[in-house]
Amino acid sequence: MSFKKDLKLLVKPYYLINILLSISYILSKRFPIICNYIFAQDDCELDGRETEILFFLMIVIMIRTRKTGSVTMINYLTSSFVYTKVANLILWFYADVRMGILFALIFILCGLVLPEPTYQGPENIIYLRGANGLQEELQRDTRVVWLVAFYTAWNPACVTFAPIFSELSAKYALENFKFGKVDVGRYPDAAAKYHISDASTSKQLPTLILFKDEKEAERRPYSDNKGKLVKFLFSLDNVQAAFDLNHIYSDCKKNPLKKKEKKRLKVE
């Protein structure tokens, strides 16, 4: 997603309101008019405890956004909103219990009324039912190349990667080059078969596997010769390069399934 697209998304109410909530305490403290009215103070400065909370918040956001694989401005903002709002909640309670309760009510109300915008663009993805569903599709026609994403609905890195995978499927999917997804949280048999940890602390989510001739040809992230997991940043460009999608797309485009063969497959 380009920087221009990110800027367009920022005008949506979800992002505008969450940004305001995330900086509400600092704004209230730094603007004399607001500060004098809310806190009844002439000296509108952050004290030592407030500075410590904000500094700790910055460290937490940096660590968490890195773990979730955030690669765009929107990803960073979305990953940080929960932590910034919780920090603001603590600061408001620290300043005034009444203001803390008011902020908590606004916090909960916004969460109920303004859910995070989801990807609305085109996609060409087949959702597979576990290891058996995937195996059936691989055996249906071994000439079809499959790029399959193994994910869970609750993992932040999977949520971040979802629109990227949808965009890739819309761009590259063909009759003989298909994109699939398997929810290993719902179908743990798939995680077990393809050696993917679905634990809450797993560093293997999401996992992308490329299948050719019914067999695994490439995967990210992968383990090195010592069994150590090699980290992979799931950006659009990185996935295109790691799996050589342009080359696969070109080959599949040059060698489409023949009409007779497609009819035979439909009958089967």
Side-chain angles (χ1 to χ4, degrees), residues 161-187:
F161 179 60
I164 296 174
F165 193 68
S166 294
E167 187 174 344
L168 288 170
S169 71
K171 181 178 180 180
Y172 290 106
L174 296 168
E175 188 71 22
N176 53 350
F177 184 21
K178 296 183 179 181
F179 288 70
K181 292 184 79 170
V182 179
D183 186 349
V184 294
R186 186 177 179 184
Y187 301 104

Side-chain angles (χ1 to χ4, degrees), residues 120-134:
Q120 299 296 327
E123 67 172 37
N124 198 342
I125 298 173
I126 298 172
Y127 290 85
L128 305 163
R129 296 185 177 182
N132 291 335
L134 174 56

Side-chain angles (χ1 to χ4, degrees), residues 36-227:
N36 294 335
Y37 179 77
I38 295 178
F39 301 102
Q41 296 177 352
D42 293 329
D43 183 20
C44 295
E45 296 289 340
L46 296 171
D47 62 25
R49 180 61 61 84
E50 292 167 339
T51 304
E52 288 176 3
I53 293 173
L54 291 172
F55 184 72
F56 179 73
L57 171 65
M58 290 176 61
I59 295 174
V60 170
I61 291 174
M62 289 174 63
I63 294 173
R64 293 304 302 171
T65 51
R66 187 174 180 180
K67 284 185 176 181
T68 57
S70 301
V71 293
T72 68
M73 178 178 64
I74 290 295
N75 292 155
Y76 276 107
L77 285 174
T78 303
S79 300
S80 65
F81 279 152
V82 173
Y83 306 104
T84 54
K85 288 187 291 186
V86 169
N88 274 269
L89 181 63
I90 295 171
L91 289 169
W92 281 114
F93 268 109
Y94 172 73
D96 189 325
V97 174
R98 294 169 299 177
M99 296 301 297
I101 294 173
L102 178 61
F103 184 85
L105 291 174
I106 296 172
F107 186 164
I108 296 170
L109 183 63
C110 289
L112 295 173
V113 177
L114 291 174
E116 181 182 349
T118 56
Y119 177 74
Q120 299 296 327
E123 67 172 37
N124 198 342
I125 298 173
I126 298 172
Y127 290 85
L128 305 163
R129 296 185 177 182
N132 291 335
L134 174 56
Q135 193 62 36
E136 288 175 5
E137 291 294 340
L138 293 177
Q139 292 175 346
R140 195 182 301 277
D141 191 336
T142 57
R143 295 166 301 171
V144 177
V145 179
W146 281 85
L147 183 62
V148 181
F150 297 81
Y151 74 103
T152 62
W154 47 261
N155 184 276
C158 295
V159 174
T160 298
F161 179 60
I164 296 174
F165 193 68
S166 294
E167 187 174 344
L168 288 170
S169 71
K171 181 178 180 180
Y172 290 106
L174 296 168
E175 188 71 22
N176 53 350
F177 184 21
K178 296 183 179 181
F179 288 70
K181 292 184 79 170
V182 179
D183 186 349
V184 294
R186 186 177 179 184
Y187 301 104
D189 61 311
K193 181 174 182 177
Y194 294 101
H195 309 290
I196 300 169
S197 171
D198 59 352
S200 59
T201 56
S202 175
K203 295 181 180 179
Q204 291 180 282
L205 294 173
T207 288
L208 273 183
I209 301 181
L210 182 72
F211 294 94
K212 291 182 177 180
D213 298 320
E214 199 183 334
K215 298 178 181 178
E216 178 180 329
E218 195 75 50
R219 83 157 59 193
R220 293 293 187 279
Y222 64 91
S223 299
D224 59 19
N225 295 330
K226 297 181 180 180

